[in-house]
Amino acid sequence: FFQQCYSTEEGIMAARGGNWYDGSQNKDMHYHSWTKDNNYVSGNWGWLSTTIGVANQTLSILNTTEPEGAAKSTNMAEIKMVRALAYFMLMDNYGNVPLDTAYGDFSPHPTVPRAQVFTFIENDIKRCLPYLSTTVGVSTYGRPTLYTAQALLAKMYLNAEYYTGTGKYNECIAACDNVISSGKFALASMTN
């Protein structure tokens, strides 16, 4: 939130007294003068790369310990969606990033072009689609569903031209239509 919103003037943190200045990290976001040492930049990278590592570890464990079947397929798809979301945020914020999908290899991985990361995420999401739940509500709260996947695809496709050099606006519309036509979501009405 801070890295994406403060750097776009979508949000701003005012400095009111010495305790709001936070070592200039908020000002640096606003003025686009951040470095890798900014807590938002390094924290975002740390959390997202940790999420990817934990997802890879979880996938490795589930793959060897869970019996084959629908439950395993759904669990694996949900974990891959968590990883896809983390990879999307890394790609969106940092561009070229390392791609690592295997647990156990802790050596540094080279970065790959943003377009390649985009394709990896897109393909991984599409492979998950058949196994994700279409149920929305308390039982799936906090779990990626088919509509989570469609929403992430829509977000990716909206900016695909920037990420890859090729626009995917029709794909964006189709992904949005899949969510809208489900009839499971609506905009909140404004009442006085």
Side-chain angles (χ1 to χ4, degrees):
F1 172 82
F2 297 116
Q3 188 173 355
Q4 292 186 313
C5 293
Y6 287 1
S7 65
T8 63
E9 295 184 5
E10 187 177 344
I12 187 168
M13 179 67 79
R16 297 186 185 108
N19 63 335
W20 288 68
Y21 191 64
D22 278 344
S24 84
Q25 70 179 358
N26 300 311
K27 177 183 71 74
D28 292 345
M29 283 288 119
H30 183 68
Y31 285 114
H32 293 207
S33 59
W34 65 83
T35 67
K36 66 179 177 58
D37 297 320
N38 182 289
N39 286 333
Y40 297 139
V41 174
S42 61
N44 196 23
W45 179 273
W47 278 107
L48 293 171
S49 58
T50 298
T51 299
I52 291 165
V54 170
N56 287 340
Q57 180 183 27
T58 304
L59 289 167
S60 175
I61 292 168
L62 288 176
N63 193 44
T64 58
T65 61
E66 292 294 307
E68 293 301 323
K72 178 179 182 176
S73 297
T74 297
N75 290 336
M76 297 286 280
E78 289 174 350
I79 298 300
K80 286 179 181 180
M81 284 302 306
V82 170
R83 182 179 68 187
L85 179 59
Y87 264 123
F88 167 74
M89 290 179 181
L90 273 182
M91 175 194 70
D92 187 53
N93 283 290
Y94 302 99
N96 302 343
V97 298
L99 267 180
D100 180 17
T101 59
Y103 177 70
D105 177 7
F106 303 111
S107 63
H109 291 71
T111 61
V112 298
R114 180 181 258 164
Q116 185 178 338
V117 178
F118 178 97
T119 300
F120 165 78
I121 299 166
E122 178 186 29
N123 290 338
D124 216 26
I125 293 170
K126 286 181 175 180
R127 284 190 295 270
C128 291
L129 290 174
Y131 306 105
L132 295 169
S133 178
T134 58
T135 301
V136 296
V138 174
S139 67
T140 57
Y141 183 78
R143 299 177 74 166
T145 66
L146 177 75
Y147 309 109
T148 308
Q150 292 291 341
L152 183 53
L153 285 172
K155 192 168 179 87
M156 289 176 55
Y157 291 150
L158 184 62
N159 294 301
E161 191 167 1
Y162 177 75
Y163 298 141
T164 69
T166 303
K168 292 194 171 216
Y169 300 108
N170 289 331
E171 291 90 336
C172 177
I173 292 167
C176 289
D177 285 347
N178 285 332
V179 175
I180 294 166
S181 67
S182 73
K184 297 184 181 203
F185 305 94
L187 297 176
S189 61
M190 297 293 290
T191 59
N192 292 338

